[in-house]
């Protein structure tokens, strides 16, 4: 199996402007995620990163065409992402690229475009402990995870979380105030797979947590483009009478 | 619209053997539920109850054939329910009768037969507060409910809850230890609808809670047999070539 | 129960430009649909229509705020719909308005925005017969429908149909070439409900078919805004520690 | 990765009693399936077969405990399968064994027990051509499959198919009469995965079809027990206050 190319995208703003965040993520959230994936998946992945301040936000057509799975972290600069880049990422997901949206990426243009909803949540930034419960123990993204694990300090996100019903609900989180959140959600969009995972505020060392890293490593493998899936752009295709009759074994449509 | 006939089934054991339970439910859990539904739904429903100690547990063929929605509460006497009655209820659900399974009915023969799984949960009987969160605000069973409400004292039930993924996840509950449970679940089985709702231990006055009563009243209306659904028993039907051609407007299959 | 206000939107282009279409729908597709709904639902509905050529396409803020269910037919003029109106309709769906998208509305801006995918299908315009199969007989949109019915002449639409997995798959259609389509699909987006129904080309008298009309009448009732659902715009709400403790019965969030 | 142990179970009655069936499957349907899987998956699988006439139908506790994926074909002898063996298979699925049910296994005791419904279909034995459409192109079971393929002769199975809504709908089939069937369906039950695939009558050489074999090879890999899933029997576990606090990293529940 050839190595998956994973691109970790980060707006990379908090880490350069806030000393407390810099102390946790001196080279940026993307670097911690990329290093963790490399350490856990080794030769199975080829890691790259891209950030908001690069030309085309580092997401040129060439980069996207050679990306198997895109990881996305954004928060304070959601509106600075160019619409043209959003369209390009969206198109690439529909043609098979996997996408993993993290934490405040709920409000990113690309995640809202993929979901079709507002993606609003309730929230609180008060150092709450988060418990993450595995609801689908057989799911590939839950591989190696316990029934439940805790993250000592986190921003609280809770329901009502305005997303479509997920194709698969993998994790539910709880917080000390009694709040709950559907926190690990799988979707298919076109030929691509999308996973949303809520843990991950910039103010806490969440991406240093070994089990959060395990979830991300699992998700990268789950979101890989399916073998054999057509990768040309979508088209509404005219299919005249008899189109199914002319093919060997009745096989059509590749 | 003709009134729905609702049969409330209760094993009715705790209330006769334990003074503390009797203090909360002197005439049985079924009476509190039946009275609440009557008060809330008025002429829209006709209420009956049935208990384990009656002949055929009060669920004769005649009773079931005239029941639109069956509510089921059981706990300590699950294994005393006759297999023949279980088969009869199951068959009736497949032909359109709605069913609402409450609390420990997770482990009833009929609920496990409808689910195909063990229906195990984690549990704790320690007077925990339960928060019930509405995850699908547009769902008929959530009508009139707030985003979240609390039940002051409850037996804790939590994940992993071994049920099939629900068709609709209406409620998620949390408990003070950080536990979570998918607590309001909708399923279709055959032509019938099934709703599981976890609140309701015998040791606490849960069925006196106005919002729990509201959920039950909503669920009875949601689970009503669909208008126009065929109610004869299922059959695997031979459908020879041409069976679809001989009918007016191409309409077949009533 | 107060009457539902239903707005039938139609681009209304084919009927004015093509004599064959005009012969089938002299006053426009919207008029046939509106008349059918009025005849079937009587006082339960208040019907209005709106078309592309009106100011704001007939979908001013006032019209949308007072619309309970919006029916949408579009085909040849999809790109002429103003983005601003699309945003307005989308926002209104998230706040509870039901939406029924018909036939080629697959490629409308609003449907693609709600789905997050390309919504492409295979197609053929050759007077094919369509069989519509009921897959969920208990579903409100299937009320009164047979197991299967036929539409004598239709444009063929078939898989792969690039939409998210539906929350509920109500109908599957087949065509003489052996093609299949998921043709009746339910989704929730925000607080609103969305139903897609594929029958309905302008070249055939599909909306005069009594069972197609029955589906539309059922869908209008199913898509009505839920009782008790909050209708203010969405917000990501800060929910500080203790927000759940200060309320009577623990009830919060209205 | 260690080889998966796959047990192919066949009632093995038609092939010994009917010359026409024997001509197609001289060593039994199970042999053709086992050979095909071996040829396609090589060292990744270890194949075994078991039949109705063996002691315990060849499904002793030892056989099941060492089976990763069980394939099941049954038709004329469904009622001869001992209830004790059905219970044993069911229990093993809940603890993680994958199961693939084929064709008339709809009416097997084990499939009905896993589904909770009657599993009835309409049917016709008249040498109909079947088209199999891929509805979820990204699904592992569809890997390498075209958009649609045909099986020249098949028993017709069509809707209404009385099963729960699947977790994933992978294939839809059509037949010359215009009939449709949800023909490739995925379910989770406990920690185990279940796949139903309808092609496969004994009267036609369906399991010799290369693309049917491809589906089975894909399904075996998809249904493998998840890495890291607990394999002890289910228990309802008492979880007293504080059970989540005493563990390193908050990790609990293995």
């Amino acid at each position: 199996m050839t190595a998956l190319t994973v691109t970790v995208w980060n707006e990379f703003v908090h880490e350069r402007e806030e000393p407390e965040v810099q102390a946790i993520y001196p080279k940026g959230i993307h670097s911690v995620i990329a290093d963790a994936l490399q350490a856990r998946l080794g030769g199975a992945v080829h890691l790259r990163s891209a950030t908001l301040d690069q030309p085309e936000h580092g997401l040129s057509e060439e980069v996207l065409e050679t990306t198997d799975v895109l990881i996305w972290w954004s928060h304070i600069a959601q509106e600075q992402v160019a619409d043209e880049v959003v369209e390009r990422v969206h198109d690439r997901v529909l043609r098979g690229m996997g996408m993993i949206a993290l934490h405040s990426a709920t409000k990113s243009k690309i995640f809202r475009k993929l979901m079709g909803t507002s993606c609003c949540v309730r929230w609180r930034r008060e150092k709450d402990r988060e418990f993450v419960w595995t609801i689908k123990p057989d799911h590939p993204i839950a591989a190696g995870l316990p029934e439940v694990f805790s993250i000592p300090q986190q921003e609280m996100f809770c329901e009502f979380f305005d997303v479509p019903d997920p194709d698969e609900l993998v994790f539910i989180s709880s917080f000390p105030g009694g709040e709950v959140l559907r926190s690990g959600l799988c979707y298919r969009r076109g030929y691509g797979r999308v996973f949303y995972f809520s843990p991950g505020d910039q103010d806490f060392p969440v991406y240093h947590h070994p089990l959060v890293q395990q979830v991300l490593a699992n998700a990268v493998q789950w979101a890989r483009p399916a073998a054999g899936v057509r990768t040309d752009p979508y088209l509404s295709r005219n299919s005249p009478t008899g189109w199914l009759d002319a093919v060997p074994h009745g096989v059509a449509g590749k």
Side-chain angles (χ1 to χ4, degrees), chain A residues 2-44:
Chain A
T2 46
L4 291 177
T5 297
V6 180
T7 303
V8 185
W9 193 88
N10 180 15
E11 61 176 36
F12 199 24
V13 176
H14 292 289
E15 302 97 315
R16 294 197 272 207
E17 297 184 352
E18 302 169 35
E20 314 77 32
V21 181
Q22 204 172 46
I24 304 172
Y25 298 110
K27 295 178 188 171
I29 283 174
H30 53 290
S31 297
V32 169
I33 291 175
D35 290 352
L37 293 174
Q38 193 70 72
R40 286 168 181 272
L41 298 172

Side-chain angles (χ1 to χ4, degrees), chain A residues 67-215:
Chain A
T67 295
D68 293 303
V69 180
L70 178 66
I71 297 180
W72 189 280
W73 198 98
S74 57
H75 179 223
I76 207 170
Q78 315 271 24
E79 295 309 310
Q80 296 175 38
V81 177
D83 289 344
E84 189 190 336
V85 173
V86 173
E87 289 298 323
R88 196 186 292 157
V89 173
H90 184 253
D91 171 73
R92 184 72 184 95
V93 170
L94 297 190
R95 289 184 292 111
M97 181 181 73
M99 175 145 186
I100 300 171
L102 296 174
H103 195 56
S104 312
T106 42
K107 299 298 288 183
S108 62
K109 291 179 179 178
I110 180 62
F111 189 65
R112 286 184 291 139
K113 186 172 179 69
L114 286 162
M115 296 294 105
T117 58
S118 78
C119 305
C120 286
V121 291
R122 286 183 174 275
W123 59 277
R124 171 174 68 233
R125 191 168 294 167
E126 295 185 20
K127 304 194 179 183
D128 286 290
R129 174 220 65 212
E130 175 172 355
F131 277 124
V132 181
W133 292 80
T134 298
I135 302 304
K136 286 185 84 66
D138 81 293
H139 198 281
I141 297 182
L145 271 287
E147 283 185 79
V148 54
F149 70 91
S150 73
I151 300 171
Q153 292 191 332
Q154 245 287 67
E155 182 176 24
M156 187 280 287
F157 270 21
C158 80
E159 303 282 345
F160 176 67
F161 181 18
D162 178 29
V163 282
D165 276 5
D167 294 341
E168 294 160 322
L169 173 59
V170 184
F171 302 114
I172 295 176
S173 290
S174 72
F175 295 87
E179 294 91 355
V180 299
L181 179 75
R182 291 167 293 167
S183 55
L185 306 176
C186 296
Y187 297 91
R188 273 85 177 175
R189 289 294 180 267
Y191 290 169
R193 294 178 166 193
V194 179
F195 180 61
Y196 173 74
F197 190 53
S198 70
D201 197 63
Q202 71 281 358
D203 289 341
F204 309 112
V206 174
Y207 295 116
H208 292 281
H209 191 301
L211 295 177
V212 169
Q213 293 180 357
Q214 176 81 30
V215 170

